[in-house]
Amino acid sequence: MPNPAILTVDDDPAVSRAVARDVRRKYGDRYRVIRAESGPDALDALREIKLRGEQVAVMLADYRMPHMNGIQFLEAAMDLFPLARRVLLTAYADTDAAIDAINVVDLDHYLLKPWNPPEEKLYPVVDALLDAWLSTPDVAVPETKVVGHRWSSRSFAVRDFLARNLVPYRWLLADEPEGGRLLTAAGLTETDVPVVITSDGKALARPTEADLAAHVGLSTTPALDFYDLAVVGAGPAGLGAAVYGASEGLRTVLVEQRATGGQAGQSSRIENYLGFPDGVSGAQLTERARRQALKFGAELLTTREVVGLDNCGSATLLRFGDGTAVGAHTVVLATGVSYRRLDAPGLAELAGRGVFYGSASTEAPSCRDEEIYIVGGANSAGQAAVYFSRYARKVHILIRGGDLSRSMSRYLIDQIESIDTIEVHPRTSVVAGEGDDHLERLTLCEQPSGQTRTVETSWLFVFIGAEPRTDWLGDSVARDANGFVMTGPDLITEGRRPPGWGLPRDPYLLESSMPGVFAAGDVRAGSVKRVASAVGEGAMAVTLVHRFMEAQ
C-alpha cells in the first residue's frame, strides 16, 4: 500500500509550489505530497485516491480560490476522507472566515500566510495533526458491501446499524447486476439477503448485530472483570459520563446495546448545543465524543445487552443477555428513551418497509422528489423535517395539537416556516396504513370534525412519546409510574429513605434507590430532555461517583 497522502491546494502557482516543497522536505520520506491548484482538481485527486483504497492524512487548502474556496473544498472533501485533518491557509484579513470554518467543516487548524520559517510556523502544526491522524487513521481497506432488497425490514436494520455506528458501506440491490454477481460469488441467492460482505471478503448472510459488530471492528467483549465505573447506554449522558470518568482516572466501561449517540446521534442538525453556532449533526457530535472517551482510556462495548443489576455490597454486578457479567464499584444508567410505536392498523407489519421510528437518515436519498409524512411535534421531528426537505418534494408534519409552539424550540419553528416544501397539519393523526411489500397509503383523521382522508405515500417517520428503556431493571431500582428512574430527593417519602437503603445518609442527587447506581439523561425522572442537559448530568454523575467511592 502506498504511503498516506498530504494534499496541498492553492491557486497561486508560486505559493502552491512553496507549500508542497516545504511539506515534502520534512515529510516526503513517509508521506506522498500531492499538489493541486484548484478545488475541483483537488477533489478529482481525492476521488482517485479513494477509488484506489488509499489514505489521506492531512489536507491544506488556501481560502481565497476562484470557483471553489478553501472552506467549500474542505466541506466536500470531508465526504471522501472524514478523518483526514483539515488546515485552512489564510491571510490575516480572512481570519474571521477561518474561525467560522471551525464549526462549518470541523477545521483542525488555520495558518496565516506566509508561514516562514516553516520550522516554527508550519511543521509544529503539521506534526501535531499527523500524530492525531495516526491515533485514529482512516484505514485503507476494501469497502464493506450490503446486498439486499429495497423494501426489506431486515436489510434496513443492517444498513441502519452500520450507519449509526459510522461504518461506511456500499448498498447494492439483490435484483441488480452487481448485487447478483456478489451473491453468486458468495454461493448465495436472493433468499439469503441481507448479505454483508466485509472488507476482508467474508460473506455474512442475515447477520445479527453481534455478528456485524464482530466483523466490522467494533468491540464486544470486556477486557476486564471489574471496573470502577460502568456506564449503561452511550447516548449524550453516557458519553459525557464516560469522558469525565475516564479522564479522571477511573477504569471505565461504556456498554451500548445498539449504537453510540442514542436519539441525539440520529439528529440531522443540532443547532442549540453550546459552542456550535452553525449547528452540528448528531452523528458528528457523537463521533467526537466517542473518540474523546477512547482517547482517555474508556472501553466501549457494542451490541451488549444488559439484562439485570445485582447489588453485591460495595459493588454492582451487570448481567448480560448471553449469561456473562462484569462488576463495577459504581454504575451510571444512561439508557435514554425510545420512540413509542404508533398504534394504528397496518403499521406494525410495515415497520422498516416505509414506516420508520426516528430519523432514518439512510433513507433520505431514496425520498428524493417524493412526499413524506412525519408524526410528532418536538425538536426531533422538526430537525428531521428540515433535513428531509433537502430531498423530498413535500414534507408533511402531522401533530395532534393546534401548533408547534408547545413542544418545539422557536429556532426550529422559524426554520420550518421559512421552507416552502414543509407543511404542518394541526390536529391530524394517522389512523391506518396500507401496502403490499411496503407502505403505499395512509389514512389520516382530522379533528375536531373526525373527517378522514387517504394519501398516497411510501414514507412515514414517527417521533412520538418517550418510553424509557428500563424494563430490564425490574424491581432492582425504584421507577415512577412511567418507568423513569427515580433519584435523589424524589426517593424520600415523608422523611423516610427508600426501602432497603442501608446507608446512614440520603441518596445523592442523581443516585437511584440502589447505592452506587446513578441515573443521568432522559432515563431519569424529571430530567430536561435536551442534549446539553444530558451531557451535564453525565458529568455530574461522575462527581457523585467520586464522592460515593471515597466514602466506601
Side-chain angles (χ1 to χ4, degrees):
M1 184 68 66
N3 287 336
I6 297 176
L7 177 71
T8 70
V9 194
D10 199 302
D11 66 307
D12 185 326
V15 175
S16 179
R17 287 192 295 270
V19 65
R21 179 197 64 226
D22 289 340
V23 171
R24 189 174 289 112
R25 185 172 63 192
K26 176 71 181 292
Y27 307 103
D29 61 329
R30 292 163 289 155
Y31 296 88
R32 292 180 300 132
V33 179
I34 298 173
R35 180 169 68 91
E37 294 185 359
S38 73
D41 286 348
L43 285 177
D44 287 341
L46 288 179
R47 293 186 187 102
E48 186 174 341
I49 294 170
K50 187 73 173 179
L51 289 174
R52 293 198 301 259
E54 298 168 7
Q55 301 166 292
V56 175
V58 174
M59 297 180 287
L60 302 96
D62 182 48
Y63 172 62
R64 288 186 177 271
M65 295 188 294
H67 310 301
M68 175 182 285
N69 66 35
I71 296 176
Q72 293 168 330
F73 161 73
L74 291 174
E75 188 171 18
M78 286 174 66
D79 293 334
L80 295 170
F81 293 95
L83 296 183
R85 302 296 162 164
R86 295 171 282 277
V87 181
L88 194 68
L89 306 176
T90 181
Y92 182 81
D94 296 321
T95 53
D96 286 343
I99 293 171
D100 290 340
I102 292 174
N103 288 315
V104 176
V105 297
D106 197 18
L107 191 69
D108 293 294
H109 208 283
Y110 67 89
L111 285 171
L112 295 178
K113 299 188 296 186
W115 52 81
N116 291 324
E119 289 78 7
E120 295 180 12
K121 298 184 177 180
L122 176 64
Y123 296 154
V125 171
V126 178
D127 281 342
L129 294 177
L130 288 173
D131 287 342
W133 179 80
L134 286 169
S135 68
T136 55
D138 190 0
V139 181
V141 294
E143 63 186 354
T144 297
K145 302 176 184 67
V146 180
V147 183
H149 293 305
R150 176 69 194 87
W151 297 111
S152 161
S153 58
R154 280 178 172 266
S155 297
F156 166 73
V158 166
R159 293 160 56 214
D160 189 55
F161 176 82
L162 293 174
R164 291 184 61 187
N165 281 286
L166 304 179
V167 177
Y169 68 90
R170 183 181 175 197
W171 166 237
L172 299 151
L173 294 175
D175 56 0
E176 291 186 345
E178 181 63 16
R181 284 191 287 268
L182 288 171
L183 291 177
T184 299
L188 302 170
T189 68
E190 288 191 29
T191 60
D192 297 309
V193 299
V195 173
V196 176
I197 300 173
T198 64
S199 56
D200 59 0
K202 183 176 179 60
L204 308 174
R206 297 188 177 185
T208 64
E209 291 183 351
D211 290 334
L212 285 174
H215 285 90
V216 298
L218 301 175
S219 179
T220 61
T221 305
L224 304 174
D225 294 325
F226 195 84
Y227 296 84
D228 296 317
L229 171 63
V231 183
V232 185
L239 287 166
V243 167
Y244 281 92
S247 68
E248 294 174 10
L250 298 177
R251 291 173 300 172
T252 302
V253 62
L254 178 59
V255 183
E256 171 55 47
Q257 184 176 352
R258 190 138 195 270
T260 53
Q263 286 189 358
Q266 300 180 67
S267 296
S268 55
R269 201 81 176 163
I270 301 171
E271 298 193 54
N272 58 352
Y273 189 74
L274 185 67
F276 293 89
D278 295 308
V280 61
S281 73
Q284 189 177 31
L285 188 63
T286 295
E287 175 60 10
R288 291 182 182 184
R290 185 192 68 83
R291 284 171 21 209
Q292 196 173 12
L294 295 176
K295 164 190 168 184
F296 288 124
E299 187 180 340
L300 173 60
L301 304 181
T302 308
T303 66
R304 295 308 300 265
E305 181 185 10
V306 182
V307 297
L309 292 180
D310 293 331
N311 190 343
C312 301
S314 61
T316 300
L317 190 70
L318 279 73
R319 291 184 284 106
F320 295 128
D322 63 357
T324 61
V326 295
H329 284 302
T330 57
V331 174
V332 172
L333 301 175
T335 49
V337 297
S338 58
Y339 294 113
R340 283 194 294 109
R341 297 282 161 165
L342 192 58
D343 186 16
L347 297 186
E349 298 85 351
L350 297 170
R353 298 188 291 129
V355 178
F356 305 95
Y357 291 86
S359 181
S361 58
T362 55
E363 301 303 302
S366 299
C367 297
R368 191 176 300 278
D369 299 326
E370 297 194 30
E371 296 200 17
I372 73 166
Y373 287 76
I374 291 175
V375 178
N379 278 10
S380 296
Q383 290 162 353
V386 172
Y387 176 67
F388 280 105
S389 69
R390 304 175 191 173
Y391 301 89
R393 181 174 71 252
K394 189 79 171 181
V395 177
H396 301 270
I397 302 178
L398 312 179
I399 57 174
R400 289 184 178 273
D403 57 48
L404 296 170
S405 60
R406 181 181 175 185
S407 54
M408 190 177 293
S409 296
R410 186 69 238 179
Y411 82 91
L412 268 175
I413 296 175
D414 292 340
Q415 284 188 30
I416 288 170
E417 291 176 347
S418 69
I419 300 174
D420 294 336
T421 56
I422 299 179
E423 182 177 355
V424 180
H425 301 266
R427 300 183 179 89
T428 304
S429 58
V430 176
V431 294
E434 298 176 73
D436 293 327
D437 65 336
H438 69 282
L439 177 67
E440 297 175 12
R441 65 193 67 87
L442 294 171
T443 302
L444 309 181
C445 180
E446 299 175 356
Q447 297 297 338
S449 67
Q451 183 177 357
T452 62
R453 59 189 175 93
T454 300
V455 295
E456 303 292 325
T457 184
S458 296
W459 308 98
L460 176 67
F461 300 89
V462 182
F463 301 82
I464 58 170
E467 293 183 338
R469 299 169 180 168
T470 57
D471 288 345
W472 61 276
L473 288 169
D475 297 327
S476 58
V477 300
R479 296 178 289 155
D480 68 10
N482 295 314
F484 292 91
V485 177
M486 299 173 66
T487 58
D490 291 342
L491 293 168
I492 307 299
T493 305
E494 297 180 353
R496 294 194 301 270
R497 293 166 183 153
W501 185 265
L503 299 179
R505 61 165 176 83
D506 290 345
Y508 294 137
L509 183 62
L510 301 181
E511 195 170 18
S512 74
S513 59
M514 183 183 292
V517 176
F518 302 84
D522 291 357
V523 75
R524 189 179 67 83
S527 66
V528 177
K529 304 300 189 281
R530 289 290 185 268
V531 175
S533 62
V535 173
E537 288 193 6
M540 186 191 304
V542 173
T543 299
L544 300 175
V545 162
H546 281 294
R547 189 183 301 178
F548 175 85
M549 294 177 65
E550 289 166 359
Q552 296 303 300

